[in-house]
């Protein structure tokens, strides 16, 4: 696995993140007949919330981003993009594991949506997400918080 680290996002990151989104989503959006070079970037700009976003760096360089935004009774996992050079190296799984551990400690449900046919869906399923609903373009997924056996009153740790 590649070493990586987070840093808080700022407004100055919006264009790098918008460009990464366009690169990462292009193949899936083209397959779905939904790719629009301007719209894919503008949707990110319109929804970018630095207060809930982290930039992922590998070797001190920009490699991706992820947002975890409070939304009612849950958190929304959004804008989880990794640059092609960082994909398939364990970074995405490590980032997701860390965020989900935080949500588990807080007892928080996590929701997300992923494009139909995206390989990212397998990552989410491996981390406990289940399909909540879907349409022709998106798969809406949810993950209940994991509860450690030791944290449940009367439960005995497994051996």
């Amino acid at each position: 696995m590649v070493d990586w680290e987070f840093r808080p996002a700022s407004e100055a990151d919006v264009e790098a993140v918008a460009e990464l989104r366009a690169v990462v989503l292009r193949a899936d959006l083209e397959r779905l007949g939904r790719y629009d070079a301007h719209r894919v970037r503008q949707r990110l700009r319109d929804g970018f919330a630095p207060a809930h976003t982290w930039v992922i760096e590998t070797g001190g360089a920009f490699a991706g981003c992820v947002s975890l935004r409070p939304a009612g009774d849950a958190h929304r996992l959004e804008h989880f993009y990794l640059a092609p050079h960082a994909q398939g190296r364990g970074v995405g799984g490590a980032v997701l594991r860390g965020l989900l551990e935080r949500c588990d400690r807080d007892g928080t449900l996590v929701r997300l949506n992923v494009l139909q046919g995206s390989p990212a869906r397998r990552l989410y399923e491996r981390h406990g997400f289940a399909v909540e609903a879907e349409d022709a373009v998106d798969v809406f997924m949810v993950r209940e918080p994991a509860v450690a056996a030791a944290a449940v009153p009367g439960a005995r740790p497994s051996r």
Side-chain angles (χ1 to χ4, degrees):
M1 183 176 86
V2 173
D3 286 336
W4 62 275
E5 60 188 20
F6 275 146
R7 71 166 171 77
S10 72
E11 285 293 337
D13 294 308
V14 71
E15 290 307 315
V17 173
E19 188 58 35
L20 177 60
R21 181 177 197 268
V23 168
V24 171
L25 296 183
R26 185 173 188 145
D28 285 329
L29 289 171
E30 284 179 340
R31 178 179 40 76
L32 294 167
R34 308 281 293 203
Y35 185 78
D36 176 303
H38 173 75
R39 187 169 187 257
V40 71
R41 291 169 177 86
Q42 193 58 47
R43 286 193 67 187
L44 182 284
R45 292 178 191 116
D46 292 344
F48 190 66
H52 302 291
T53 304
W54 297 271
V55 169
I56 302 162
E57 295 181 337
T58 59
F62 178 79
C65 68
V66 64
S67 295
L68 190 64
R69 182 178 51 83
D73 67 338
H75 277 57
R76 295 271 326 153
L77 182 70
E78 302 173 315
H79 307 305
F80 190 8
Y81 311 119
L82 282 178
H85 74 270
Q87 294 177 13
R89 303 175 79 188
V91 176
V95 167
L96 187 56
R97 239 182 336 276
L99 292 173
L100 293 176
E101 286 170 3
R102 176 178 147 185
C103 292
D104 290 345
R105 282 192 304 274
D106 297 341
T108 306
L109 190 77
V110 181
R111 287 191 165 89
L112 61 82
N113 61 289
V114 62
L115 291 170
Q116 285 284 2
S118 171
R121 179 176 171 174
R122 290 189 304 275
L123 172 70
Y124 299 132
E125 288 171 337
R126 282 194 306 270
H127 285 86
F129 283 87
V131 174
E132 191 170 40
E134 56 187 298
D135 60 28
V137 176
D138 290 303
V139 178
F140 300 90
M141 303 182 83
V142 63
R143 181 186 178 272
E144 297 283 339
V147 178
V152 176
R156 296 174 188 247
S158 59
R159 298 183 202 260

